[in-house]
């Protein structure tokens, strides 16, 4: 019986630690999945916009940086 009394606090802390880490990893996995879906949705929207409006892109041209107004 004394062995259980000695080991019980360590086992309890281990179980609590396990659930905290599990909660963190599940949250991270969910966040990455949501971010991925959001990125795919944004890419689909942008491709549809390019298809609809042609090369007149509303956010500039990729790879070319506008340096401000020409003087």
């Amino acid at each position: 019986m004394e062995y259980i009394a000695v080991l019980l606090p360590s086992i309890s802390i281990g179980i609590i630690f396990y659930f905290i880490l599990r909660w963190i990893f599940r949250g991270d996995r969910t966040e990455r999945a949501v971010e991925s879906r959001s990125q795919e949705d944004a890419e689909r929207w942008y491709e549809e916009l390019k298809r609809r409006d042609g090369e007149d892109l509303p956010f500039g041209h990729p790879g070319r940086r506008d340096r401000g107004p020409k003087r």
Side-chain angles (χ1 to χ4, degrees), residues 27-43:
D28 183 55
R29 182 175 50 223
T30 303
E31 182 179 352
R32 288 175 189 260
V34 169
E35 176 71 24
S36 175
R37 283 195 305 262
S38 173
Q39 193 71 14
E40 290 168 0
D41 184 46
E43 288 173 6

Side-chain angles (χ1 to χ4, degrees), residues 18-71:
Y18 166 78
F19 282 115
I20 289 173
L21 284 180
R22 182 176 155 209
W23 175 67
I24 289 171
F25 285 130
R26 281 187 176 185
D28 183 55
R29 182 175 50 223
T30 303
E31 182 179 352
R32 288 175 189 260
V34 169
E35 176 71 24
S36 175
R37 283 195 305 262
S38 173
Q39 193 71 14
E40 290 168 0
D41 184 46
E43 288 173 6
R44 276 194 310 270
W45 173 81
Y46 194 67
E47 290 299 320
E48 179 184 325
L49 189 65
K50 280 185 0 185
R51 221 177 310 116
R52 187 183 69 204
D53 293 344
E55 290 299 316
D56 187 24
L57 300 177
F59 305 115
H61 294 279
R64 186 180 89 191
R65 290 193 163 180
D66 293 327
R67 303 204 190 268
K70 294 182 180 178
R71 295 178 189 211

